[in-house]
Amino acid sequence: MRAPLANLMQEEEQENIDLTPMLDVVFIMLIFFIVTASFVKEAGIDVNRPEAATAVKKERASILVAISDKGEIWINKRQVDVRAVQANIERLKAENPQGSVVIQADKKATTETLIKVMDASRAAGAYDVSIAALES
């Protein structure tokens, strides 16, 4: 009676599937996709940008500043006072020295706020400052 029971246990041991190689492949693919993913940066709010016939898509815009129709300034999903724009851009430029500043101003934003943000950006050392517009 013991012989058939021993054969049954040996068969169960032989039928085990080793999942370790499959898990290794899954983790390697996960690391690959995380490393190669390009993350979209957002300023923090959606603005209604004006249209421009000469608008050109800018690659590698790493510092986004949004100005709402109420004059609110947003950087990295945080509302920022106009006096703190220069310090925030200096910090972001230190993290990415080749980064350029793109200002996403709403159609109804005042020119005064836009000029203050541009001046603060240039005072922070960012001379590649662009204004976002929709392609018409």
Side-chain angles (χ1 to χ4, degrees):
M1 183 129 198
R2 288 190 178 181
L5 183 60
N7 289 340
L8 182 64
M9 294 193 68
Q10 285 179 353
E11 288 178 12
E12 285 182 14
E13 288 179 12
Q14 293 175 356
E15 292 178 3
N16 287 342
I17 298 174
D18 188 17
L19 296 177
T20 306
M22 185 183 71
L23 290 174
D24 289 344
V25 170
V26 169
F27 283 127
I28 290 171
M29 288 175 55
L30 178 67
I31 292 169
F32 173 76
F33 287 123
I34 289 173
V35 170
T36 60
S38 62
F39 299 102
V40 177
K41 291 192 174 195
E42 296 180 4
I45 58 171
D46 291 326
V47 294
N48 294 324
R49 293 178 287 175
E51 292 183 3
T54 59
V56 178
K57 185 174 182 178
K58 185 163 185 109
E59 300 295 329
R60 305 179 131 249
S62 61
I63 303 171
L64 297 177
V65 180
I67 304 173
S68 72
D69 56 346
K70 299 172 189 167
E72 301 168 335
I73 301 168
W74 291 78
I75 301 174
N76 281 348
K77 300 180 183 176
R78 291 182 311 122
Q79 187 173 355
V80 176
D81 187 52
V82 70
R83 295 170 295 206
V85 170
Q86 180 177 348
N88 280 287
I89 293 178
E90 284 175 352
R91 179 180 53 83
L92 293 170
K93 282 291 286 183
E95 292 173 6
N96 185 3
Q98 286 80 27
S100 62
V101 176
V102 175
I103 302 172
Q104 300 172 330
D106 193 275
K107 289 180 184 180
K108 297 178 182 175
T110 62
T111 308
E112 178 184 14
T113 307
L114 177 63
I115 297 299
K116 286 180 181 178
V117 171
M118 288 178 71
D119 284 344
S121 299
R122 289 197 175 115
Y127 297 104
D128 187 10
V129 179
S130 305
I131 300 173
L134 295 175
E135 294 180 35
S136 59

